[in-house]
Short mmCIF file of all heavy atoms in Angstrom, two decimals:
data_model
loop_
_atom_site.label_atom_id
_atom_site.label_comp_id
_atom_site.label_asym_id
_atom_site.label_seq_id
_atom_site.Cartn_x
_atom_site.Cartn_y
_atom_site.Cartn_z
N MET A 1 13.24 -124.63 -17.99
CA MET A 1 12.16 -124.29 -18.90
C MET A 1 10.83 -124.71 -18.27
O MET A 1 10.69 -125.82 -17.80
CB MET A 1 12.39 -124.99 -20.25
CG MET A 1 11.34 -124.66 -21.28
SD MET A 1 11.65 -125.38 -22.91
CE MET A 1 12.95 -124.35 -23.51
N GLN A 5 6.45 -123.30 -21.60
CA GLN A 5 7.48 -123.13 -22.62
C GLN A 5 7.72 -124.43 -23.38
O GLN A 5 7.91 -124.41 -24.60
CB GLN A 5 8.79 -122.66 -21.99
CG GLN A 5 8.79 -121.21 -21.57
CD GLN A 5 10.06 -120.85 -20.84
OE1 GLN A 5 10.24 -121.26 -19.71
NE2 GLN A 5 10.93 -120.10 -21.49
N LEU A 8 4.82 -124.85 -25.86
CA LEU A 8 4.93 -123.89 -26.96
C LEU A 8 6.11 -124.21 -27.86
O LEU A 8 6.00 -124.09 -29.10
CB LEU A 8 5.02 -122.47 -26.41
CG LEU A 8 3.76 -122.00 -25.66
CD1 LEU A 8 4.01 -120.68 -24.96
CD2 LEU A 8 2.57 -121.91 -26.60
N LYS A 9 7.21 -124.64 -27.29
CA LYS A 9 8.37 -125.03 -28.10
C LYS A 9 8.03 -126.23 -28.98
O LYS A 9 8.38 -126.27 -30.16
CB LYS A 9 9.56 -125.35 -27.19
CG LYS A 9 10.82 -125.66 -27.96
CD LYS A 9 12.00 -125.84 -27.04
CE LYS A 9 13.26 -126.09 -27.85
NZ LYS A 9 14.43 -126.24 -26.99
N LEU A 11 5.04 -127.07 -30.05
CA LEU A 11 4.12 -126.59 -31.08
C LEU A 11 4.87 -125.89 -32.20
O LEU A 11 4.57 -126.10 -33.39
CB LEU A 11 3.08 -125.63 -30.46
CG LEU A 11 2.02 -126.26 -29.58
CD1 LEU A 11 1.28 -125.19 -28.78
CD2 LEU A 11 1.05 -127.10 -30.39
N LEU A 12 5.84 -125.08 -31.84
CA LEU A 12 6.63 -124.37 -32.85
C LEU A 12 7.51 -125.34 -33.65
O LEU A 12 7.59 -125.25 -34.88
CB LEU A 12 7.50 -123.29 -32.19
CG LEU A 12 6.74 -122.08 -31.66
CD1 LEU A 12 7.63 -121.25 -30.73
CD2 LEU A 12 6.19 -121.23 -32.79
N ASN A 13 8.15 -126.27 -32.96
CA ASN A 13 9.06 -127.21 -33.63
C ASN A 13 8.35 -128.15 -34.59
O ASN A 13 8.94 -128.57 -35.58
CB ASN A 13 9.84 -128.02 -32.60
CG ASN A 13 10.89 -127.21 -31.89
OD1 ASN A 13 11.26 -126.12 -32.31
ND2 ASN A 13 11.38 -127.73 -30.77
N LEU A 17 1.70 -124.56 -35.27
CA LEU A 17 1.17 -123.19 -35.29
C LEU A 17 1.34 -122.52 -36.65
O LEU A 17 1.01 -121.35 -36.79
CB LEU A 17 1.88 -122.35 -34.21
CG LEU A 17 1.70 -122.80 -32.77
CD1 LEU A 17 2.50 -121.90 -31.83
CD2 LEU A 17 0.23 -122.81 -32.38
N GLN A 22 -0.13 -114.86 -37.29
CA GLN A 22 1.27 -114.56 -36.99
C GLN A 22 1.45 -114.17 -35.53
O GLN A 22 2.46 -114.50 -34.91
CB GLN A 22 1.79 -113.45 -37.91
CG GLN A 22 3.24 -113.13 -37.70
CD GLN A 22 4.18 -114.30 -37.98
OE1 GLN A 22 3.95 -115.08 -38.88
NE2 GLN A 22 5.22 -114.41 -37.18
N LYS A 23 0.43 -113.50 -34.95
CA LYS A 23 0.59 -113.07 -33.55
C LYS A 23 0.68 -114.27 -32.61
O LYS A 23 1.40 -114.22 -31.62
CB LYS A 23 -0.53 -112.13 -33.12
CG LYS A 23 -1.88 -112.76 -32.92
CD LYS A 23 -2.89 -111.76 -32.42
CE LYS A 23 -4.24 -112.41 -32.23
NZ LYS A 23 -5.24 -111.48 -31.75
N VAL A 24 -0.01 -115.36 -32.94
CA VAL A 24 0.06 -116.56 -32.10
C VAL A 24 1.48 -117.12 -32.14
O VAL A 24 2.07 -117.43 -31.10
CB VAL A 24 -0.97 -117.63 -32.55
CG1 VAL A 24 -0.77 -118.92 -31.78
CG2 VAL A 24 -2.39 -117.11 -32.38
N GLN A 25 2.03 -117.24 -33.34
CA GLN A 25 3.40 -117.73 -33.48
C GLN A 25 4.39 -116.80 -32.79
O GLN A 25 5.32 -117.27 -32.12
CB GLN A 25 3.76 -117.85 -34.96
CG GLN A 25 2.97 -118.89 -35.70
CD GLN A 25 3.32 -118.89 -37.18
OE1 GLN A 25 4.44 -118.58 -37.57
NE2 GLN A 25 2.37 -119.25 -38.02
N GLY A 26 4.20 -115.51 -32.94
CA GLY A 26 5.10 -114.54 -32.34
C GLY A 26 5.07 -114.58 -30.82
O GLY A 26 6.13 -114.54 -30.16
N ILE A 27 3.89 -114.67 -30.26
CA ILE A 27 3.77 -114.73 -28.80
C ILE A 27 4.34 -116.04 -28.28
O ILE A 27 5.03 -116.07 -27.25
CB ILE A 27 2.31 -114.53 -28.36
CG1 ILE A 27 1.84 -113.12 -28.71
CG2 ILE A 27 2.15 -114.80 -26.87
CD1 ILE A 27 0.34 -112.90 -28.56
N ALA A 28 4.10 -117.13 -29.00
CA ALA A 28 4.65 -118.43 -28.60
C ALA A 28 6.17 -118.37 -28.60
O ALA A 28 6.83 -118.83 -27.66
CB ALA A 28 4.15 -119.53 -29.52
N GLN A 29 6.75 -117.79 -29.64
CA GLN A 29 8.21 -117.68 -29.72
C GLN A 29 8.75 -116.78 -28.61
O GLN A 29 9.79 -117.07 -28.01
CB GLN A 29 8.64 -117.15 -31.09
CG GLN A 29 10.13 -117.23 -31.31
CD GLN A 29 10.63 -118.67 -31.32
OE1 GLN A 29 10.18 -119.49 -32.10
NE2 GLN A 29 11.57 -118.97 -30.43
N LEU A 30 8.05 -115.69 -28.32
CA LEU A 30 8.45 -114.80 -27.24
C LEU A 30 8.46 -115.54 -25.90
O LEU A 30 9.40 -115.40 -25.12
CB LEU A 30 7.50 -113.60 -27.18
CG LEU A 30 7.77 -112.58 -26.07
CD1 LEU A 30 9.11 -111.89 -26.29
CD2 LEU A 30 6.64 -111.55 -26.02
N ALA A 31 7.44 -116.36 -25.67
CA ALA A 31 7.36 -117.13 -24.42
C ALA A 31 8.50 -118.13 -24.33
O ALA A 31 9.08 -118.33 -23.26
CB ALA A 31 6.02 -117.85 -24.32
N VAL A 32 8.85 -118.76 -25.44
CA VAL A 32 9.96 -119.72 -25.45
C VAL A 32 11.28 -118.99 -25.20
O VAL A 32 12.11 -119.45 -24.41
CB VAL A 32 10.00 -120.50 -26.79
CG1 VAL A 32 11.29 -121.30 -26.91
CG2 VAL A 32 8.78 -121.41 -26.90
N ASP A 33 11.46 -117.86 -25.85
CA ASP A 33 12.72 -117.13 -25.75
C ASP A 33 12.92 -116.42 -24.41
O ASP A 33 14.00 -116.46 -23.83
CB ASP A 33 12.82 -116.09 -26.87
CG ASP A 33 12.95 -116.71 -28.25
OD1 ASP A 33 13.27 -117.91 -28.34
OD2 ASP A 33 12.70 -115.99 -29.23
N LYS A 34 11.88 -115.77 -23.92
CA LYS A 34 12.03 -114.91 -22.74
C LYS A 34 11.37 -115.48 -21.49
O LYS A 34 11.58 -114.98 -20.40
CB LYS A 34 11.45 -113.54 -23.03
CG LYS A 34 12.18 -112.84 -24.15
CD LYS A 34 12.26 -111.39 -23.89
CE LYS A 34 13.11 -110.77 -24.99
NZ LYS A 34 13.61 -109.52 -24.66
N GLY A 35 10.53 -116.49 -21.65
CA GLY A 35 9.83 -117.07 -20.51
C GLY A 35 8.36 -116.73 -20.51
O GLY A 35 7.97 -115.61 -20.85
N PHE A 36 7.56 -117.67 -20.12
CA PHE A 36 6.11 -117.49 -20.08
C PHE A 36 5.74 -116.39 -19.10
O PHE A 36 4.78 -115.65 -19.32
CB PHE A 36 5.43 -118.82 -19.70
CG PHE A 36 3.94 -118.78 -19.80
CD1 PHE A 36 3.31 -118.85 -21.03
CD2 PHE A 36 3.16 -118.68 -18.65
CE1 PHE A 36 1.93 -118.82 -21.13
CE2 PHE A 36 1.78 -118.65 -18.73
CZ PHE A 36 1.16 -118.72 -19.98
N LEU A 39 5.18 -112.75 -20.35
CA LEU A 39 4.04 -112.38 -21.20
C LEU A 39 3.04 -111.55 -20.41
O LEU A 39 2.83 -111.77 -19.22
CB LEU A 39 3.33 -113.63 -21.72
CG LEU A 39 4.12 -114.57 -22.62
CD1 LEU A 39 3.23 -115.74 -23.06
CD2 LEU A 39 4.70 -113.85 -23.83
N ILE A 47 -2.42 -117.25 -26.01
CA ILE A 47 -1.72 -118.54 -26.00
C ILE A 47 -2.47 -119.61 -25.20
O ILE A 47 -2.31 -120.80 -25.45
CB ILE A 47 -0.30 -118.34 -25.42
CG1 ILE A 47 0.54 -117.50 -26.37
CG2 ILE A 47 0.40 -119.64 -25.12
CD1 ILE A 47 0.75 -118.13 -27.74
#
Side-chain angles (χ1 to χ4, degrees):
M1 182 176 285
Q5 285 174 288
L8 295 170
K9 185 175 182 179
L11 288 167
L12 289 166
N13 288 344
L17 299 178
Q22 183 62 36
K23 73 177 180 180
V24 173
Q25 294 177 31
I27 295 169
Q29 189 64 57
L30 179 65
V32 169
D33 293 343
K34 298 216 175 199
F36 187 77
L39 298 181
I47 292 299

